[in-house]
Each structure stands twice: as structure tokens, then as C-alpha cells.
């Protein structure tokens, strides 16, 4: 679950909780939220911390007017 989203310089910082401790997850992104998940791009693969939290920093591209994000579990 995404819990907080903020900007830091030219980066978007996202964090959340309720993940399975040490389990893998993927972050998907798309400029169109209506696209099927298979059409979204995988921008990160990572693991939840031992307490189920996660943090992700992604560069902000000024040429992309909007970007939607999803967490995906394998």
C-alpha cells in the first residue's frame, strides 16, 4: 500500500507498508491508468524491508506530464 508520496529535488519519493517481510515486489508505471497491467512498464524490482515497509525514489521526467504507479507482487 502506498502511504506517502513526496518530491525531493528532481525525484519522486514513494513509501508504504503492509508488504510481506523480505518479499519481492515490482513497481509499474504508465501514462494511461486505463491500460491493462500487461502494458505497464516495470520501473523497479525490490524487496520489502523486514517490517513490511518499502521506499522507492524515481526521477521526475519533465517531458512526461503524468505518470501512474502500481505495486505488483510476483
Amino acid at each position: 500500500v502506498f502511504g506517502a508520496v513526496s518530491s525531493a529535488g528532481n525525484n519522486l519519493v514513494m513509501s508504504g507498508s503492509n508488504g510481506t517481510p523480505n518479499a519481492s515486489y515490482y513497481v509499474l508505471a504508465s501514462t494511461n491508468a486505463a491500460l491493462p497491467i500487461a502494458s505497464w512498464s516495470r520501473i523497479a524490482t525490490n524487496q520489502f524491508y523486514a517490517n513490511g515497509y518499502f521506499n522507492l525514489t524515481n526521477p521526475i521526467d519533465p517531458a512526461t506530464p503524468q505518470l501512474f504507479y502500481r505495486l505488483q507482487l510476483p
Side-chain angles (χ1 to χ4, degrees), residues 2 11-14 25-31 37-46 54-61 64 66-72:
F2 286 104
N11 292 309
L12 184 65
V13 180
M14 298 170 272
Y25 68 90
Y26 308 118
V27 179
L28 308 178
S30 176
T31 56
I37 291 177
S39 298
W40 288 49
S41 299
R42 186 181 294 176
I43 63 165
T45 301
N46 216 332
F54 72 93
N55 286 311
L56 174 75
T57 301
N58 193 53
I60 296 171
D61 180 1
T64 304
Q66 65 182 3
L67 198 58
F68 299 94
Y69 295 92
R70 296 182 80 136
L71 287 180
Q72 182 183 49

